[in-house]
Amino acid sequence: MNSSHQTFAEKASRLATEAAVRATPEPLAKRVRGFSDRAIAWLFIAPTIALLLAINIFPLFWAIYLSFTNYRANRPNAEVRNIGLSNYSRILNDPDIWASMQTTAHFVFWTILLQTVIGFGLAYLIDRKFRGHAFWTTLILIPMMLSPAVVGNFWRFLYEPQIGLFAYAVSFLTGIPTSDIQMLGSVQLAPWAIVIVDTWMWTPYVMLICLAGLRSIPDYIYEAAEVDRASPWRQFWSITVPMALPFIMLAVLFRGIENFKMFDMVNLLTGGGPGSTTEVASIALKRDAFEAWATGRSSAFAIVLFVAVFGLANIYVKALNRVKQR
Amino acid sequence: MADVILKGITKSFGDKRAVDAVDLHIHDGEFVVLLGPTGAGKTTTLRLIAGLETPDAGTLHIGGRPMQGLAPASRDVAFVFQQYSLYPHLTVYENLAFPLRSPARRMDAATIDARVRQVAKMVRIDHKLENRSTRLSGGEMQRVAIGRALVRRPSIYLMDEPLSSLDAKLRAELRLELKRIQKELGATLLYVTHDQIEAMTMADRIGILSEGRLVQIGTPREIYTDPANLHVAARLGQPHINILPVGLLPGAEAPAGTAKVGARTEHIAIARQDGGNARVDWIEHLGDQNHLHIKVGEHRLVTLADPDMPVAPGDGISVALRNPLYFGQDGNRLDGRRLA
């Protein structure tokens, strides 16, 4: 009886093995003559790599090369000379470019400050899970889903001093005549006009990330704190803020990088004007590259910007990791 | 420390009655354990006392003060949660000091420091005071959580299965420590668990909860030897109590109205005997003792046996009852109480 059991088991296992062999497809390499598995793997990822090289890596290196030349894209037949670092020295000594960098810094600072404070505040309110909070969340998220081109255009209408709703509302509330509310035309107001639009559009994004952070804090930590007699104020500062901080920092990183290279909204709303009051770095770069056609110099400028963003982001990510590891 | 008195405490979640008219008087300095399966209402009872839930009916007094409408902060209770509810960005020291730093307490820094160090020593975490709480093992985290309750001197400590997420060895260790600390402090403590060993070893009194009702409360010995009904009898004892039909085994005169006979190991007399009334079905060797699985006709029962007892599966055996427990049709005990 014992031996018959064994033969049965053997038979069963042999049958199972055969079935498995039949079910498994032959390695592709055996069927495609002359290719190893590794070669086929390369074949599959080659298109992606080629695309990446063509539209990302090559332009980067080409721009680095151009930044050392006097090349001008509107004079393709002119002689291209290597002029060393003189493009870089001109950029770093150009007060206009430094002014545009300063404008960018102001713009990044104020948009991030406002978006973080308002975004976190909204997330904190939505997290209370009151009746209809899902509806309000969706409503708040709408601006973020619009195209920046659309947003830029309709805010230009809203900002119109004669027919714009924004000017009308401000005038209605403050009594200042609408003709004085030249949001896009006034040197004092134009930078704020852009800050307002960017905040309107991107605060929901910051809110969403902060909300994820707040939702990740378990209820029982608050309950423990409550039993430990921590006031709501103390709970906020010793539990909510530290535990949501990595998320807030992440939102700041994303918005910071985005706004450092902000172009579309500024270009649509003011085009850098009036004068050069809203000329952020990317607008200055565009003017240099496609209005002055100083391709070599603008390439150098682009490289400077790239290094600046890359460097700042790296420092920031290190700080973020330190906060997360606590 | 103070007496805690619950009267008719009731709480429902939707249609489900989680806690049903519970009366409980916890005396000053007493260690009471609530024992019951998942969903019996143990945790809800604790949360009601802490003020994390509001009762639908009933009253609660702590130290003679009515607690109705009071927030957890003003109830003077300490709570240890089942999850490690540490403040993750703080060090062990700061976690322990957190409850003392409440402005409501007005405690000076030196007193806080002394208290934290004393408690850290008590729960044996004093060598890791400067560690971040996230860098601790599970056992260490739970010791910090218990320590965070102990730094305070509340009216009552409430503990919700604080040892359930630990491994067996650590659980046994902390069980002893917790009992020692409670005695040392003379603390009033209400402890919730589904582990009968924790209940038996630590409790001054055990309360058995079933479907939101407090079925029986008494000393571990009372609960074990004198269960009020089948449910309570089934909660304690290893191996489980055997529930047998009347008249299956000799040696006992069942009182009138008996529906089931409950027999634990100590209620069963066994002897090796060919042609006895039962047969050994299976033997589990536990080392110091054996679990003997016995078949009497169609019925199975499990009892402990000496590992030296010369029996093997298939052997005949004689089984008799020795002073077992009798239960009526409704599951309640019939044969009066055995302990005063």
Side-chain angles (χ1 to χ4, degrees):
Chain A
M1 169 162 176
N2 213 4
S3 69
S4 82
H5 252 130
Q6 238 169 26
T7 31
F8 176 73
E10 273 169 11
K11 203 186 274 174
S13 96
R14 204 182 62 231
L15 282 171
T17 315
E18 279 168 7
V21 167
R22 251 180 279 123
T24 314
E26 259 183 279
L28 202 58
K30 273 194 185 167
R31 288 187 277 151
V32 185
R33 202 179 294 229
F35 282 105
S36 70
D37 271 1
R38 182 162 279 272
I40 290 163
W42 274 107
L43 214 61
F44 276 125
I45 55 171
T48 314
I49 291 185
L51 208 64
L52 203 68
L53 284 172
I55 66 174
N56 251 331
I57 310 295
F58 169 72
L60 177 65
F61 282 100
W62 189 242
I64 292 175
Y65 159 70
L66 288 180
S67 73
F68 295 107
T69 68
N70 66 342
Y71 178 68
R72 299 174 76 88
N74 62 340
R75 289 183 209 153
N77 297 325
E79 185 199 359
V80 177
R81 272 184 302 115
N82 189 329
I83 54 168
L85 289 170
S86 71
N87 277 334
Y88 286 93
S89 79
R90 274 182 69 185
I91 286 162
L92 297 176
N93 289 312
D94 185 343
D96 287 348
I97 286 193
W98 279 108
S100 78
M101 295 290 256
Q102 203 177 12
T103 308
T104 306
H106 282 163
F107 176 67
V108 169
F109 174 80
W110 284 108
T111 50
I112 286 185
L113 182 74
L114 288 172
Q115 286 170 27
T116 309
V117 171
I118 302 173
F120 184 79
L122 284 174
Y124 194 71
L125 292 177
I126 290 280
D127 192 39
R128 305 285 102 179
K129 296 200 181 104
F130 52 88
R131 249 177 92 88
H133 70 96
F135 169 76
W136 285 102
T137 311
T138 314
L139 203 68
I140 291 171
L141 290 184
I142 286 174
M144 189 182 105
M145 300 173 196
L146 301 175
S147 145
V150 173
V151 170
N153 273 320
F154 79 61
W155 272 92
R156 249 176 44 200
F157 273 108
L158 289 174
Y159 279 149
E160 271 291 322
Q162 310 305 327
I163 55 164
L165 195 63
F166 184 88
Y168 174 77
V170 173
S171 144
F172 183 82
L173 292 172
T174 61
I176 301 168
T178 50
S179 56
D180 286 356
I181 308 167
Q182 302 273 353
M183 285 304 286
L184 299 176
S186 135
V187 175
Q188 282 84 30
L189 293 178
W192 293 106
I194 295 169
V195 168
I196 290 171
V197 177
D198 193 71
T199 303
W200 178 83
M201 183 164 178
W202 291 110
T203 295
Y205 179 78
V206 177
M207 182 201 82
L208 209 59
I209 297 178
C210 288
L211 193 61
L214 292 176
R215 292 269 159 89
S216 74
I217 306 173
D219 283 345
Y220 56 78
I221 294 208
Y222 287 110
E223 289 180 341
E226 212 168 309
V227 174
D228 285 343
R229 291 194 186 174
S231 60
W233 180 252
R234 189 161 175 238
Q235 286 180 29
F236 180 78
W237 286 108
S238 61
I239 298 172
T240 311
V241 171
M243 289 187 77
L245 192 59
F247 290 84
I248 299 171
M249 286 180 76
L250 207 60
V252 167
L253 174 69
F254 290 158
R255 288 313 304 147
I257 291 177
E258 273 304 299
N259 279 0
F260 199 92
K261 58 194 177 80
M262 162 62 65
F263 176 80
D264 38 17
M265 207 104 83
V266 180
N267 197 39
L268 272 163
L269 285 167
T270 64
S276 60
T277 41
T278 60
E279 189 174 300
V280 292
S282 58
I283 297 279
L285 178 61
K286 174 217 154 199
R287 283 185 177 173
D288 211 24
F290 301 110
E291 285 167 24
W293 294 104
T295 315
R297 193 174 68 216
S298 56
S299 295
F301 190 17
I303 301 297
V304 168
L305 285 180
F306 172 74
V307 170
V309 175
F310 195 73
L312 287 174
N314 257 312
I315 295 169
Y316 188 84
V317 167
K318 285 222 171 74
L320 178 64
N321 283 336
R322 202 165 310 140
V323 168
K324 264 163 70 180
Q325 270 166 17
R326 287 196 318 201
Chain B
M1 296 291 148
D3 283 26
V4 175
I5 302 168
L6 285 73
K7 275 209 182 91
I9 290 281
T10 301
K11 174 78 184 173
S12 300
F13 296 107
D15 286 341
K16 194 180 178 311
R17 185 155 282 198
V19 175
D20 194 356
V22 166
D23 293 319
L24 179 62
H25 186 160
I26 303 162
H27 300 283
D28 188 20
E30 197 180 21
F31 195 134
V32 174
V33 173
L34 292 180
L35 182 65
T38 310
K42 311 181 297 279
T43 299
T44 309
T45 308
L46 275 197
R47 293 173 61 87
L48 284 163
I49 297 175
L52 296 170
E53 306 283 353
T54 323
D56 299 334
T59 60
L60 167 68
H61 287 79
I62 298 179
R65 274 198 313 149
M67 289 291 124
Q68 192 175 1
L70 287 188
S74 28
R75 292 193 176 206
D76 195 26
V77 298
F79 204 116
V80 179
F81 290 81
Q82 190 173 358
Q83 307 91 338
Y84 320 120
S85 54
L86 302 183
Y87 308 120
H89 51 285
L90 300 180
T91 62
V92 170
Y93 184 96
E94 284 163 340
N95 260 287
L96 291 174
F98 189 93
L100 301 178
R101 293 215 170 114
S102 164
R105 277 181 229 286
R106 287 195 210 95
M107 200 177 261
D108 63 87
T111 320
I112 291 177
D113 186 70
R115 187 78 74 80
V116 166
R117 285 177 196 286
Q118 179 205 352
V119 166
K121 206 163 274 169
M122 213 184 263
V123 294
R124 312 221 165 111
I125 198 77
D126 47 329
H127 56 295
K128 295 218 164 155
L129 278 176
E130 295 313 316
N131 285 34
R132 292 249 167 229
S133 58
T134 42
R135 300 275 170 85
L136 301 174
S137 70
E140 289 166 341
M141 282 197 205
Q142 200 55 301
R143 271 185 282 180
V144 177
I146 293 170
R148 204 179 53 196
L150 295 177
V151 287
R152 298 176 44 196
R153 297 284 183 269
S155 300
I156 184 166
Y157 295 101
L158 305 166
M159 301 197 180
D160 185 5
E161 310 210 21
L163 308 183
S164 65
S165 45
L166 307 179
D167 64 72
K169 183 168 171 286
L170 201 58
R171 201 155 59 216
E173 248 175 66
L174 275 182
R175 204 163 66 207
L176 279 172
E177 282 184 40
L178 201 55
K179 183 64 188 171
R180 172 180 61 80
I181 291 166
Q182 184 260 340
K183 270 193 175 154
E184 235 173 79
L185 298 175
T188 313
L189 207 157
L190 183 61
Y191 186 103
V192 153
T193 185
H194 61 257
D195 182 325
Q196 55 163 313
I197 297 174
E198 280 178 20
M200 290 297 281
T201 52
M202 293 194 289
D204 294 321
R205 283 193 300 157
I206 296 177
I208 305 281
L209 275 175
S210 165
E211 290 169 354
R213 290 181 163 277
L214 187 60
V215 184
Q216 189 178 2
I217 181 154
T219 64
R221 182 131 191 87
E222 273 168 20
I223 298 282
Y224 182 81
T225 57
D226 224 7
N229 59 29
L230 269 173
H231 176 85
V232 176
R235 290 247 62 84
L236 296 175
Q238 192 63 331
H240 252 237
I241 190 166
N242 299 291
I243 308 295
L244 305 168
V246 186
L248 180 73
L249 296 174
E253 285 291 314
T258 302
K260 290 272 185 323
V261 177
R264 290 203 176 101
T265 291
E266 62 270 26
H267 303 135
I268 296 172
I270 47 172
R272 173 91 169 75
Q273 185 191 15
D274 291 325
N277 60 346
R279 199 166 54 77
V280 176
D281 189 38
W282 190 248
I283 302 173
E284 285 178 300
H285 300 280
L286 302 183
D288 58 332
Q289 56 195 14
N290 286 348
H291 275 183
L292 216 55
H293 296 249
I294 299 170
K295 257 188 132 168
V296 187
E298 284 303 296
H299 294 274
R300 292 163 177 281
L301 57 97
V302 185
T303 184
L304 288 177
D306 202 303
D308 302 329
M309 189 177 179
V311 287
D315 285 356
I317 198 167
S318 85
V319 182
L321 290 172
R322 207 165 47 185
N323 233 351
L325 307 167
Y326 302 103
F327 299 95
Q329 199 62 52
D330 54 359
N332 287 334
R333 269 283 292 295
L334 293 175
D335 55 327
R337 313 215 114 197
R338 294 178 186 188
L339 290 172

